[in-house]
Amino acid sequence: ALPPSSPDPSPSTPPPPPDRIVIGLYGKLSPQPTQILTQLFSSNGYNAKCKPKETRTLQREQLEANKVYNSCIGSNAIGVSYDSSTVWRVVKDERIDLGAVSGKFVSRE
């Protein structure tokens, strides 16, 4: 037999506070990474350029490359933000590794 289930919490119970990550930036020691990270967290995002248009041998691959390039040019006004980055490793009290941007920003440098 299953143990009796506990009653549902009342709707007036506030949700628990979100986890918080504090990131220290060292602008004097590493100004460029600090600037990029600050822009990734800003409302405008980081202004990453589109990768150069690629030339492919097979027509099918060229059509796909053109599609990716044109999509990037069409969304060039939108900055890349932390919402598009993948966190793939967190080392407590040491570092956070962000991977390459994904989705609609995959064609950015």
Side-chain angles (χ1 to χ4, degrees), residues 29-107:
L29 296 175
S30 55
Q32 186 179 10
T34 299
Q35 181 184 16
I36 291 171
L37 188 60
T38 303
Q39 288 177 9
L40 279 170
F41 281 95
S42 74
S43 59
N44 296 332
Y46 175 65
N47 188 14
K49 298 177 184 175
C50 293
K51 292 179 182 177
K53 193 170 185 178
E54 297 180 1
T55 303
R56 302 291 180 120
T57 305
L58 297 176
Q59 183 180 14
R60 172 179 66 217
E61 291 177 352
Q62 185 63 51
L63 290 172
E64 184 62 28
N66 291 349
K67 181 176 154 183
V68 169
Y69 178 77
N70 291 336
S71 172
C72 181
I73 294 298
S75 66
N76 205 15
I78 302 169
V80 178
S81 72
Y82 70 95
D83 289 333
S84 306
S85 299
T86 304
V87 176
W88 62 275
R89 179 172 51 189
V90 176
V91 180
K92 187 177 178 181
D93 296 329
E94 191 175 322
R95 70 188 210 202
I96 299 173
D97 292 332
L98 297 171
V101 295
S102 58
K104 61 184 173 184
F105 301 117
V106 73
S107 58

Side-chain angles (χ1 to χ4, degrees), residues 6-13:
S6 61
D8 290 335
S10 69
S12 63
T13 305

Side-chain angles (χ1 to χ4, degrees), residues 11-28:
S12 63
T13 305
D19 291 333
R20 185 175 180 165
I21 296 175
V22 177
I23 300 173
L25 301 176
Y26 301 93
K28 291 182 180 177

